[in-house]
Amino acid sequence: MPLLALVAGAVLSTGVIGQPASAHGSSGPPLRKLADRAGVRIGTAVDMSALAEDRTYRRTVGRDFDSVTAENVMKWESVEPRRGVYDWKPADDLVRYARAHGQVVRGHTLVWHSQLPGWLTSGVADGSIGPAELRGILRKHITTEVKRYKGKIQQWDVVNEVFEEDGSLRNSVWLRELGPSYIADAFRWAHAADPKARLFLNDYNVEGVNAKSTAYYELAKRLRAEGVPVQGFGAQGHLAIQYGFPGQVAENLARFEALGMRTAFTEVDVRMILPVDETKAATQASYFRRLLDACLGARSCTSFTVWGYTDRYSWVPGVFEGQGAATPMDEGYGRKAAYGALREGLAAGR
């Protein structure tokens, strides 16, 4: 997507509080080893340019995480930049890396209102692509991508961010052109292409009980009653310490679990207004820990993914002016209090 224990350590030149960068490589067991003992996957979104060019980044992804999500390279604009012309190499590279490092892959994302290829959005806008053709294009996109990675993707974010904050359906190109049935169709098509992949709804601001998460609950309940293979609910977990921690997180996960669904935190980061200080860093750490504890407290929650693990490559400063420091490691790969909170939470287990 794109759309937080007190600190023990030094203040680095980046202005982010953490342990010295040299401490990050070998002290203590990796997060993935602790996660395995706790019975949960610990994941990160992966920047493929950084994976290719930054040795420390690449080594840390392999060391600390047993689940990876493509930050951008599986999105539609990336895989089909021109109609019928595909670029699978970056996504293939991630799948290959994951296999070599004993990791599972979360696929992100099949249907979204954003990061669509220009040929599609311009075609709809000028009327050269009508609703019937658009439906066929969507079906082909989902089927082609899911089949390509059949057996290699553990979970797919099938539809992403389909509700507004008040619980009404987002006025996206998909809703306007195809009506609400596109959601069920997308799940059916994805399931037909890979029956073994777990298929998720995914959104932000749905960590706790509110109008938006309730809309997802009602949607999932209805679709599952109709036999639509909606199997998981993903709460992104993009939090900001200035807005407080969401309420009723455990209760929210429990109601989806009661429907027979898997749950996951899929894109966790916790931003703050800069500069960082010890109080902000401690609050951030507590937010990471509280989300993780909610996951570990729910039998249905099988995956906890951070949306990037180092501030060096975080999307946050480019979107939220004056905010940042949102990940568990600083720009020099020093471990923050947030990293320690994740480690302690995983070590405590379920």
Side-chain angles (χ1 to χ4, degrees):
M1 143 118 212
L3 268 152
L4 147 124
L6 283 173
V7 180
V11 180
L12 304 182
S13 60
T14 58
V16 179
I17 299 174
Q19 294 177 352
S22 60
H24 90 276
S26 59
S27 58
L31 294 179
R32 63 184 291 175
K33 185 172 183 179
L34 297 173
D36 183 60
R37 295 172 186 166
V40 67
R41 294 282 185 179
I42 184 74
T44 184
V46 175
D47 180 315
M48 289 306 294
S49 295
L51 193 73
E53 299 167 6
D54 185 331
R55 182 179 301 176
T56 302
Y57 181 90
R58 183 166 60 251
R59 184 172 63 243
T60 307
V61 171
R63 177 183 189 273
D64 264 329
F65 303 99
D66 62 4
S67 174
V68 291
T69 303
E71 187 170 11
N72 288 300
V73 299
M74 289 187 180
K75 293 172 181 173
W76 199 339
E77 70 172 3
S78 296
V79 300
E80 193 181 5
R82 290 183 289 156
R83 188 170 184 177
V85 178
Y86 296 93
D87 180 8
W88 299 110
K89 185 182 184 304
D92 287 352
D93 287 346
L94 179 62
V95 171
R96 190 177 303 113
Y97 175 91
R99 183 172 184 176
H101 290 81
Q103 298 164 319
V104 299
V105 182
R106 295 196 78 257
H108 180 78
T109 175
L110 296 173
V111 186
W112 193 23
H113 64 275
S114 186
Q115 290 185 250
L116 295 170
W119 61 263
L120 188 150
T121 54
S122 62
V124 172
D126 66 20
S128 61
I129 297 176
E133 185 179 8
L134 182 63
R135 187 174 186 274
I137 290 170
L138 180 60
R139 181 173 188 168
K140 182 182 179 183
H141 165 66
I142 292 171
T143 302
T144 300
E145 185 158 9
V146 176
K147 276 190 173 181
R148 182 175 185 86
Y149 299 111
K150 183 177 181 180
K152 300 176 181 178
I153 301 288
Q154 185 188 61
Q155 302 174 354
W156 272 108
D157 291 331
V158 178
V159 295
N160 192 49
E161 302 176 5
V162 299
F163 283 108
E164 302 286 1
E165 299 304 305
D166 64 0
S168 62
L169 283 169
R170 182 184 292 275
N171 185 28
S172 68
V173 62
W174 307 115
L175 184 66
R176 292 193 302 271
E177 299 295 318
L178 304 181
S181 63
Y182 81 88
I183 298 172
D185 287 340
F187 277 92
R188 291 189 178 105
W189 296 333
H191 183 67
D194 186 354
K196 292 185 178 180
R198 294 283 180 173
L199 307 181
F200 276 66
L201 299 159
N202 193 57
D203 212 326
Y204 62 92
N205 288 351
V206 293
E207 296 74 26
V209 175
N210 56 34
K212 194 175 187 180
S213 63
T214 297
Y216 274 104
Y217 173 78
E218 296 297 338
L219 173 67
K221 184 178 180 179
R222 176 175 61 80
L223 292 181
R224 285 176 62 83
E226 295 171 0
V228 180
V230 179
Q231 299 158 335
F233 175 69
Q236 292 179 8
H238 293 293
L239 304 184
I241 64 172
Q242 61 268 31
Y243 299 130
F245 192 80
Q248 298 179 283
V249 176
E251 292 86 345
N252 192 37
L253 297 181
R255 60 178 175 169
F256 286 95
E257 182 174 320
L259 293 179
M261 297 173 66
R262 298 283 184 93
T263 59
F265 290 101
T266 58
E267 307 182 19
V268 180
D269 52 26
V270 184
R271 67 187 186 272
M272 63 185 70
I273 297 171
L274 299 174
V276 182
D277 60 34
E278 289 194 0
T279 299
K280 292 176 184 177
T283 301
Q284 178 189 59
S286 73
Y287 280 28
F288 272 100
R289 177 66 187 270
R290 290 166 74 181
L291 285 185
L292 178 60
D293 284 351
C295 180
L296 294 172
R299 293 179 61 186
S300 63
C301 189
T302 58
S303 181
F304 187 94
T305 297
V306 295
W307 204 245
Y309 68 89
T310 169
D311 294 340
R312 181 181 292 258
Y313 300 107
S314 173
W315 67 286
V316 170
V319 176
F320 297 97
E321 185 177 358
Q323 299 182 51
T327 74
M329 290 186 181
D330 61 34
E331 292 184 7
Y333 296 99
R335 294 169 173 175
K336 303 181 193 176
Y339 182 98
L342 292 175
R343 168 175 279 175
E344 292 165 6
L346 291 170
R350 292 189 185 270

